[in-house]
Amino acid sequence: MQDDSRLQGTRRPGGRTARTRAAVFEAAMAELAENGYAGTRIEAVATRAGVALSTVYRRWGNLDGLIQDLVDEITVELPIPDTGTLEGDLTEVARIIVGLHRHPVHRPWLDALIMTAVRDPASRHTLTETIRVRIKRAATVVDRAVERAEIPAGTCADEAVRMLAAPFYYRIYISGEPIEEDLPERTAARVLAAIRAGTVRSGG
Amino acid sequence: MQDDSRLQGTRRPGGRTARTRAAVFEAAMAELAENGYAGTRIEAVATRAGVALSTVYRRWGNLDGLIQDLVDEITVELPIPDTGTLEGDLTEVARIIVGLHRHPVHRPWLDALIMTAVRDPASRHTLTETIRVRIKRAATVVDRAVERAEIPAGTCADEAVRMLAAPFYYRIYISGEPIEEDLPERTAARVLAAIRAGTVRSGG
């Protein structure tokens, strides 16, 4: 019981640097949630975090750099499922996607990133990089299934993840249709069927 | 050669009402392309079309009504492929989606509809209705394949279309990754594999 920071899920271990980082991230998420991407100022983030503006600039350069770092941290914290079967793992990955989009803190900045990318193509790199890192991370479950010979070698793991994720983003941001409770299982089954039929390979 | 309006693809047949409609639609698309959804005023559309503002109000009520009508007309004009096989038809539907998103006039208002829907959930109905009508229209090719016993009865046609369309919207609006030339064929093959495995049925 000596290290009581371990008892609080929201408190980060580490020294002053880690505390500054956590405070700035928390302030940035709150500002993004309240004001959206366009309305968020790096000055307001620093004030809210109780951190000198010069510290924020030195560390992240600008708001884009800060958001990229924040997004990377959240992505790295996303669990990689290991249920023992690819269908189980894909279902879990889909549930994680749904959970992120229902999360009161994560949803606003995802919306903000998407709106910014559509409005201003020059600033879309943050969203593209975020998604690229997430695809790579989730692709681990497909690579593992190839290793244990559950699915054919030559399956494109990134492409399988895109196929799994796309129907959720499509419903949330495009069609606006509700996400049925069993959609994660059903989408995982479809991706697996396509993989087994040998249709999920790298492009020519 | 009597009906020379048939020789010009951009000219619509019909009387004064049809000409007014065409002029207002053309003006609305130009305004949307230049100013986006948020910057488009119904007064500017009327002026540009050379049509009395009262006529526009009487006919469409407001800008949302006008855009909905415009979007419906474009959707109705989208061809429904009939190549003889479901794989061929799905590939064509996917190519039509790609074509719309590369079109210099259609892309801006699609972007505008999506941005507006993300920013303001209360106004997302126009986008949702647009997509709903498109899904229904494209679903015809799946229903036909069931009728000719190419695929199992009980296949959910709408769900097959969502599965086909989602990876394209995902790349365009979310991941920002390029659309490879053979993605329509490859996506069609994946959807067909999932249908044949019996995984594309209506939700429970």
Side-chain angles (χ1 to χ4, degrees), chain A residues 115-148:
Chain A
M115 242 171 50
T116 304
V118 175
R119 186 173 46 215
D120 174 17
S123 73
R124 98 154 352 268
H125 61 94
T126 305
L127 177 61
T128 295
E129 179 61 15
T130 301
I131 298 291
R132 197 191 63 76
V133 173
R134 282 202 194 169
I135 290 173
K136 276 284 162 224
R137 204 167 156 79
T140 311
V141 306
V142 183
D143 289 333
R144 278 197 208 123
V146 171
E147 276 166 35
R148 63 179 179 253

Side-chain angles (χ1 to χ4, degrees), chain A residues 111 114-115 118-119 124 127-128 131 135 159 162-163 166-167 169-177 182-183 186 189-190 193-194 197 199-204, chain B residues 111 114-115 118-119 124 127-128 131 135 159 162-163 166-167 169-177 182-183 186 189-190 193-194 197 199-204:
Chain A
D111 287 2
I114 289 169
M115 242 171 50
V118 175
R119 186 173 46 215
R124 98 154 352 268
L127 177 61
T128 295
I131 298 291
I135 290 173
E159 197 58 11
R162 285 186 198 102
M163 196 182 160
Y169 284 90
Y170 178 77
R171 280 175 170 78
I172 295 165
Y173 290 105
I174 310 296
S175 78
E177 295 163 305
D182 60 352
L183 194 62
R186 287 162 58 209
R190 289 165 195 168
T199 61
V200 187
R201 295 172 178 277
S202 304
Chain B
D111 287 1
I114 289 169
M115 242 171 49
V118 174
R119 187 173 44 216
R124 95 153 359 264
L127 178 61
T128 294
I131 298 290
I135 290 173
E159 197 58 10
R162 286 187 197 101
M163 198 182 159
Y169 284 91
Y170 179 78
R171 279 175 172 77
I172 295 165
Y173 290 105
I174 310 297
S175 78
E177 294 163 306
D182 60 351
L183 195 62
R186 287 162 59 210
R190 288 165 196 169
T199 62
V200 187
R201 296 172 176 277
S202 304

Side-chain angles (χ1 to χ4, degrees), chain B residues 39-148:
Chain B
T40 295
R41 298 281 165 270
I42 200 160
E43 292 81 2
V45 172
T47 304
R48 188 168 195 143
V51 169
L53 183 57
S54 60
T55 305
V56 177
Y57 273 124
R58 196 169 51 243
R59 185 130 177 192
W60 289 284
N62 56 29
L63 186 65
D64 264 1
L66 169 57
I67 291 179
Q68 185 68 63
D69 196 20
L70 165 63
V71 157
D72 285 350
E73 168 139 329
I74 289 166
T75 303
V76 166
E77 284 176 355
L78 291 180
I80 299 178
D82 194 4
T83 63
T85 66
L86 180 56
E87 192 160 0
D89 288 352
L90 291 176
T91 302
E92 280 309 304
V93 169
R95 285 192 185 130
I96 291 166
I97 293 170
V98 174
L100 273 178
H101 286 276
R102 288 189 177 152
H103 195 288
V105 169
H106 294 164
R107 178 65 189 267
W109 63 255
L110 274 167
D111 287 1
L113 282 181
I114 289 169
M115 242 171 49
T116 304
V118 174
R119 187 173 44 216
D120 174 18
S123 73
R124 95 153 359 264
H125 62 93
T126 305
L127 178 61
T128 294
E129 179 60 16
T130 302
I131 298 290
R132 196 191 64 75
V133 173
R134 285 203 193 167
I135 290 173
K136 276 283 162 226
R137 201 166 158 80
T140 310
V141 305
V142 183
D143 289 333
R144 278 198 208 121
V146 171
E147 277 166 35
R148 64 178 179 255

